[in-house]
Amino acid sequence: MLEEAKSDVEQEPILSDYYYASITSHPSLDSALAHVLSVKLCSSNLPSNTLFELFISVLEESPEIIESTKQDLIAVRERDPACISYVHCFLGFKGFLACQAHRIAHALWKQRRKIVALLVQNRVSEAFAVDVHPGAEIGKGILLDHATGVVIGETAVVGDNVSILHGVTLGGTGKQSGDRHPKIGDGVLIGAGTCILGNITIGEGAKIGSGSVVVKDVPPRTTAVGNPARLIGGKENPRKLDKVPGLTMDQTSHVSDYVI
């Protein structure tokens, strides 16, 4: 990132102060991330320096967050063709930034600092249009592509190397309490505008087509599409995927004999 930042400033000197404040002046990735998030999430009544102190304290106490941040950076760079550099993602991709803010909020939630965790959630929702409850558990290597309108409930669990497009809801089915949200396995791809509702399991390496409504378990390495969602190939003998969709980002290979 430092090399990319240097190159960017050489090409666009007007960015030198911005890059210095955001990246090159910081002694660590922890510090740079805390700064970027604090600037993005501050308000007139919630100064950036207050947020910076909160964020850096959590990051220094929880080094596993930065390890997940690195995996998320790699995920975005490798899976999103619109991402031109790590710096581009770090400074401007709101799905990535929302995910990192959630990691901090989740750490606060586990420390029983629920009021401030919910405050961070609220500011992320207002600033990035991404609403992830701080109780939700999210793995590493996550891509929230575009991210606008993503909603993830309190008891949801998202595995590693999962890719989620905009407008996705991992929600409940009503007003019941307790464990009520979806469990998403490793390597899953969830298409835009999808709703996955209830305490159900989306198996490892599964793919959910765009616009689907899923209310039942989806087996590993299968594709579910539609409203209500059904398995490609049928329930008794569903077509199995030979590649990990969360990594390939293949959203249309399940479509065949389609004519407009």
Side-chain angles (χ1 to χ4, degrees):
M1 279 179 52
L2 289 172
E3 290 300 317
E4 288 178 352
K6 180 180 178 181
S7 175
D8 287 355
V9 169
E10 288 175 353
Q11 294 178 57
E12 297 288 353
I14 195 174
L15 296 175
S16 59
D17 289 346
Y18 173 53
Y19 272 44
Y20 179 78
S22 301
I23 297 176
T24 59
S25 67
H26 294 276
S28 65
L29 184 60
D30 308 44
S31 178
L33 180 61
H35 170 81
V36 171
L37 290 177
S38 66
V39 170
K40 297 279 188 181
L41 300 179
C42 68
S43 68
S44 58
N45 295 317
L46 190 62
S48 61
N49 61 329
T50 299
L51 287 176
F52 177 84
E53 293 302 326
L54 172 66
F55 294 163
I56 194 65
S57 66
V58 173
L59 292 171
E60 289 176 346
E61 292 171 1
S62 307
E64 69 276 6
I65 294 178
I66 287 297
E67 291 306 311
S68 295
T69 297
K70 294 175 183 177
Q71 294 301 310
D72 293 348
L73 276 169
I74 293 170
V76 177
R77 186 72 179 93
E78 291 183 347
R79 296 180 220 160
D80 187 349
C83 182
I84 63 174
S85 68
Y86 293 109
V87 167
H88 181 211
C89 171
F90 188 79
L91 294 180
F93 273 46
K94 68 177 186 176
F96 166 80
L97 293 170
C99 191
Q100 308 324 306
H102 167 74
R103 297 190 188 285
I104 293 172
H106 183 63
L108 292 166
W109 185 263
K110 291 193 298 183
Q111 295 172 7
R112 299 188 180 277
R113 300 180 66 184
K114 293 188 174 183
I115 295 174
V116 70
L118 291 167
L119 175 63
V120 174
Q121 175 200 4
N122 175 256
R123 288 299 303 134
V124 171
S125 179
E126 292 175 337
F128 299 137
V130 177
D131 194 355
V132 184
H133 191 283
E137 299 179 24
I138 295 182
K140 57 185 180 296
I142 302 299
L143 169 61
L144 300 182
D145 195 1
H146 297 292
T148 301
V150 169
V151 176
I152 301 178
E154 178 183 4
T155 60
V157 177
V158 177
D160 297 336
N161 300 315
V162 171
S163 295
I164 299 175
L165 278 84
H166 49 285
V168 167
T169 296
L170 306 181
T173 59
K175 63 179 183 179
Q176 62 266 53
S177 59
D179 193 355
R180 60 197 183 278
H181 296 108
K183 311 300 180 280
I184 311 299
D186 296 345
V188 168
L189 171 62
I190 306 176
T194 291
C195 291
I196 303 176
L197 305 176
N199 185 12
I200 61 175
T201 298
I202 308 301
E204 178 181 350
K207 174 165 57 175
I208 311 299
S210 298
S212 298
V213 176
V214 186
V215 294
K216 293 184 178 180
D217 292 348
V218 175
R221 298 277 180 165
T222 62
T223 301
V225 183
N227 180 7
R230 290 178 170 84
L231 297 177
I232 297 294
K235 182 178 180 180
E236 300 304 322
N237 189 28
R239 187 186 306 169
K240 291 289 187 176
L241 299 168
D242 58 359
K243 296 181 180 179
V244 180
L247 300 179
T248 66
M249 300 297 292
D250 177 9
Q251 300 181 58
T252 59
S253 63
H254 61 276
V255 179
S256 61
D257 301 323
Y258 176 69
V259 178
I260 295 178

